[in-house]
Structures are given as structure tokens and as C-alpha cells.
Amino acid sequence: METPPNASKLCPSVERAFEILGKKWSGLIIRELSEGEKHFCDLERGIPALSARMLTERIKELESEGIITRTVQTEAPPVRVIYNLTEKGRALIPVMRGIEAWARQWADSPTALAR
């Protein structure tokens, strides 16, 4: 089926943003980091249903997208790794808060959010 000439096309940037943020756990990781820098174990505690393997995978993806940074602290043993939002990641905080507000408003509606 051919697309009509006047049909709007999805912007590749918007499509990419939804691809990144639509992955399970990505939004919750960003939300946790919106509170400030965290160690891996802090993120694990903040999102208990998320496995360490999946957390590692999502962190790498978000880091490669420039949304979070990974800083290794080697000053004193043991070596510690800190995760933080970048400027790009911090720009998502109002978006994430908006999604939270939307979820709270509509979660108790007759057509509650699917789980």
C-alpha cells in the first residue's frame, strides 16, 4: 500500500527517542538517576525487579546514547563506579515526571493502565 503524498511521516529523531525510552527498564533507570548520582547497588535496590544482567545491559545502552555517564572512582579501594545523568539525560527529567503524573492520574481510571 502506498503512502499518500500529504501523509505526515514520523520524524526519525522522534522514532529513535521512543526506541530508546520504550525499552523496558530504561525509564526507571533514568528516574532513579534523576535523584542524583548512584552506585550500581543503589540502582539495584531502587528497581528490585530488575536483574543485574539487564541493569548492566540498559546502563551500557543509555551510556552509548549519551544519557548517562559512568565514572570509576579509584582513589581508595574498593574501586567504585558512579552513574549520573548527562545534560541530555537531565533534560528528560520533566518528561519522566510528566509520565509519572499521567500514570498516577490514569492508573485508577476504569480503563486502568495494563500491567
Side-chain angles (χ1 to χ4, degrees):
M1 176 178 255
E2 203 172 306
T3 305
N6 62 349
S8 64
K9 295 181 182 177
L10 187 60
C11 171
S13 298
V14 172
E15 184 176 359
R16 181 72 184 131
F18 276 101
E19 184 179 304
I20 295 163
L21 299 174
K23 286 189 174 180
K24 189 169 184 175
W25 308 113
S26 293
L28 291 176
I29 293 167
I30 293 166
R31 182 187 177 281
E32 283 295 308
L33 290 172
S34 72
E35 298 170 358
E37 67 182 31
K38 304 263 180 161
H39 297 282
F40 191 89
C41 60
D42 298 327
L43 292 169
E44 283 183 307
R45 277 193 297 272
I47 313 169
L50 176 57
S51 71
R53 183 189 62 76
M54 183 57 68
L55 177 56
T56 299
E57 185 177 317
R58 288 296 178 263
I59 284 173
K60 286 179 182 176
E61 291 170 356
L62 293 169
E63 186 179 12
S64 73
E65 292 295 336
I67 294 171
I68 67 173
T69 59
R70 178 181 186 272
T71 306
V72 179
Q73 295 179 321
T74 58
E75 299 85 48
V79 173
R80 301 279 309 222
V81 178
I82 293 179
Y83 299 97
N84 229 326
L85 292 175
T86 62
E87 181 180 357
K88 181 178 179 180
R90 286 188 302 275
L92 287 167
I93 293 172
V95 174
M96 302 315 260
R97 288 189 178 138
I99 292 170
E100 285 182 51
W102 175 84
R104 285 189 185 103
Q105 178 181 351
W106 292 101
D108 293 330
S109 74
T111 56
L113 300 174
R115 295 186 195 253

